[in-house]
Amino acid sequence: MASNDPKNGGGGSGFFASLASSISNLGSAMTKSVNGLVGYEGLEVINPEGSTDDAAEEASRGRWKQEDRDGYWKMMQKYIGSDVTSMVTLPVIIFEPMTMLQKMAELMEYSHLLDMADKTEDPYLRMVYASSWAISVYYAFQRTWKPFNPILGETYEMANHNGVNFISEQVSHHPPMSAGHAENEHFTYDCTSKLKTKFLGNSIDVYPVGRTRVTLKRDGVVLDLVPPLTKVHNLIFGRTWVDSPGEMIMTNLTTGDKVVLYFQPCGWFGSGRYEVDGYVYNASEEPKILMTGKWNESMSYQQCDGEGEPLPGTELKEVWRLADAPKDDKFQYTHFAHKINSFDTAPKKLLPSDSRLRPDRYALEMGDMSKSGYEKSSMEERQRAEKRTREEKGQSFTPKWFDITEEVTATPWGDLEVYQFNGKYSEHREVADNSEDNTDPKSIQFNPWQFQDLST
């Protein structure tokens, strides 16, 4: 939105006038560094609520003990500039008791917005509902704890939420790739995700290399989502926090309509943080509806003219508001995140490869970091043993619920091999739901393994 030309993603000259000042603050806000710390000259420590003056003070804060922090910094220095998605063994002190497969399911919390997008006959309001759904998960994404990397073949199932059946599977280990599918009477959701990172010292850029498609069932409309990157600040020094500056683009591949939303970067003293502004455009790239709000609070919309200005006689209408969250939750979980981790959302005859059953995840949830670390190391070694066995046997890993396609799609951060839902899970779920097996899922042992006879 650098210009007022709506075809360039811009808008009215007056409505989002604050955007330019927020961008000008970005250069200053993102160059704070620690002064006076011997051995750490030039290291970025950013206090989102402060300025350059308090960088040294901010560096002493955070979850790390000083001796752990210094040791970890010495270990990680050699990885600056690298993709560290799976090359570094990380301590469980920075983890949350959830896996990346479960985190994918958090997109379903406000899935009723996709129901509404399917029900409405207004093509532009459809985009308002659908893009608000895409924004709604960012409150959960701001958590500063790292989810566990899934074991190859690991899955996560969710049921009992808005009529949605959800399945995700770890389909590749190197590079780490996950695939997900969700469905109810109004929509299907399909995603292939291959996170890419760049370690920058005390921060990390997370590039969402992936493809997200939503099909609305009533009219067969297909929506494509391209989210902004995410920046995690103060990984080692200071209090960790998350920002997602840049554009989110949702395109209606059926009609050509699209939404362009700009996530404003955090400036000095928190200015601009959380703010999202943008427009719904028709296929001729003319603005039809303006959208504004905060990704940690609510989103609203209003009809606009061809210059992006609000139409006379119209007013902002709220389309989404964040649900109440638990107070002082250790892992900053929402109520829905707790549901994802619980067996309340588990279907009948839960797959033994489900993330809920991981012993390291469960130990961390119970507060036993020592046992969590031990179990995590044990499973990672078992995974390496499986890889060696596959190589010795000349075999390759084949996912159960998703098939790799010949399609390679381009993203702003690199090409992506696309996996598609093969339908076998739907058949499995129908049989499981009609079975008389009432096994307590908590009694199931975690088992994503391809070879069952390997020594653990």
Side-chain angles (χ1 to χ4, degrees), residues 1 6 8-10 19 107 113-114 126-141 189 208 212 214 223-230 243-252 257-265 274-281 289 291-292 294-296 299 320 412-413:
M1 290 194 202
N8 292 330
L19 179 59
L107 261 170
L113 290 168
L114 291 180
R126 169 188 291 153
M127 301 302 286
V128 169
Y129 288 133
S131 60
S132 296
W133 162 78
I135 288 171
S136 67
V137 76
Y138 276 82
Y139 179 83
F141 283 180
Y189 156 89
T212 299
V214 174
L223 307 177
D224 178 80
L225 176 68
V226 179
L229 64 81
T230 293
D243 201 16
S244 297
E247 283 186 341
M248 170 186 284
I249 301 175
M250 177 175 277
T251 305
N252 184 330
D257 301 334
K258 68 178 179 180
V259 183
V260 181
L261 296 171
Y262 187 79
F263 286 55
Q264 294 198 26
Y274 311 118
E275 293 181 8
V276 181
D277 300 309
Y279 293 91
V280 177
Y281 300 91
I289 297 179
M291 297 181 64
T292 185
K294 294 185 175 182
W295 53 258
N296 69 334
M299 287 298 295
W320 165 76
W413 305 283

Side-chain angles (χ1 to χ4, degrees), residues 113-130 216 218-219 221 223 252 255 257 259 280-282 288-289 301-304 311 317:
L113 290 168
L114 291 180
D115 296 349
M116 296 170 72
D118 183 54
K119 292 175 184 177
T120 184
E121 296 182 359
D122 184 324
Y124 309 123
L125 191 55
R126 169 188 291 153
M127 301 302 286
V128 169
Y129 288 133
L216 302 178
R218 193 188 69 167
D219 296 330
V221 165
L223 307 177
N252 184 330
T255 66
D257 301 334
V259 183
V280 177
Y281 300 91
N282 64 13
K288 291 296 182 179
I289 297 179
Y301 70 96
Q302 187 172 4
Q303 280 75 22
C304 66
L311 284 176
K317 296 180 181 178

Side-chain angles (χ1 to χ4, degrees), residues 71-304:
Y72 194 62
W73 168 246
K74 291 176 183 177
M75 181 187 79
M76 292 296 293
Q77 277 182 298
K78 62 183 178 182
Y79 295 112
I80 291 177
S82 302
D83 183 349
V84 293
T85 306
S86 61
M87 69 165 56
V88 181
T89 300
L90 300 170
V92 295
I93 188 176
I94 68 170
F95 280 72
E96 62 175 318
M98 183 180 285
T99 71
M100 283 298 300
L101 297 177
Q102 293 173 284
K103 204 162 180 110
M104 289 176 72
E106 288 196 82
L107 261 170
M108 293 298 117
E109 178 168 7
Y110 300 95
S111 60
H112 70 277
L113 290 168
L114 291 180
D115 296 349
M116 296 170 72
D118 183 54
K119 292 175 184 177
T120 184
E121 296 182 359
D122 184 324
Y124 309 123
L125 191 55
R126 169 188 291 153
M127 301 302 286
V128 169
Y129 288 133
S131 60
S132 296
W133 162 78
I135 288 171
S136 67
V137 76
Y138 276 82
Y139 179 83
F141 283 180
Q142 73 171 332
R143 291 200 301 268
T144 58
W145 307 89
K146 183 190 180 303
F148 285 93
N149 287 339
I151 298 294
L152 186 62
E154 183 176 334
T155 58
Y156 176 74
E157 299 178 84
M158 185 181 71
N160 308 320
H161 173 71
N162 193 30
V164 173
N165 283 322
F166 176 93
I167 176 70
S168 54
E169 182 177 13
Q170 190 71 0
V171 295
S172 172
H173 183 57
H174 287 295
M177 293 183 67
S178 308
H181 174 83
E183 187 167 357
N184 71 0
E185 63 178 318
H186 290 290
F187 69 87
T188 60
Y189 156 89
D190 291 282
C191 178
T192 301
S193 174
K194 181 175 72 174
L195 289 182
K196 180 180 178 182
T197 63
K198 185 175 184 179
F199 180 64
L200 300 172
N202 199 37
S203 65
I204 188 169
D205 286 351
V206 182
Y207 305 99
V209 180
R211 192 183 78 169
T212 299
R213 293 277 171 87
V214 174
T215 302
L216 302 178
K217 291 187 173 182
R218 193 188 69 167
D219 296 330
V221 165
V222 179
L223 307 177
D224 178 80
L225 176 68
V226 179
L229 64 81
T230 293
K231 301 179 74 70
V232 184
H233 301 281
N234 298 358
L235 284 172
I236 305 171
F237 297 87
R239 295 167 296 177
T240 307
W241 61 282
V242 179
D243 201 16
S244 297
E247 283 186 341
M248 170 186 284
I249 301 175
M250 177 175 277
T251 305
N252 184 330
L253 299 179
T254 308
T255 66
D257 301 334
K258 68 178 179 180
V259 183
V260 181
L261 296 171
Y262 187 79
F263 286 55
Q264 294 198 26
C266 179
W268 276 10
F269 302 103
S271 69
R273 190 179 183 193
Y274 311 118
E275 293 181 8
V276 181
D277 300 309
Y279 293 91
V280 177
Y281 300 91
N282 64 13
S284 299
E285 299 190 335
E286 299 166 331
K288 291 296 182 179
I289 297 179
L290 64 86
M291 297 181 64
T292 185
K294 294 185 175 182
W295 53 258
N296 69 334
E297 186 176 301
S298 67
M299 287 298 295
S300 298
Y301 70 96
Q302 187 172 4
Q303 280 75 22
C304 66

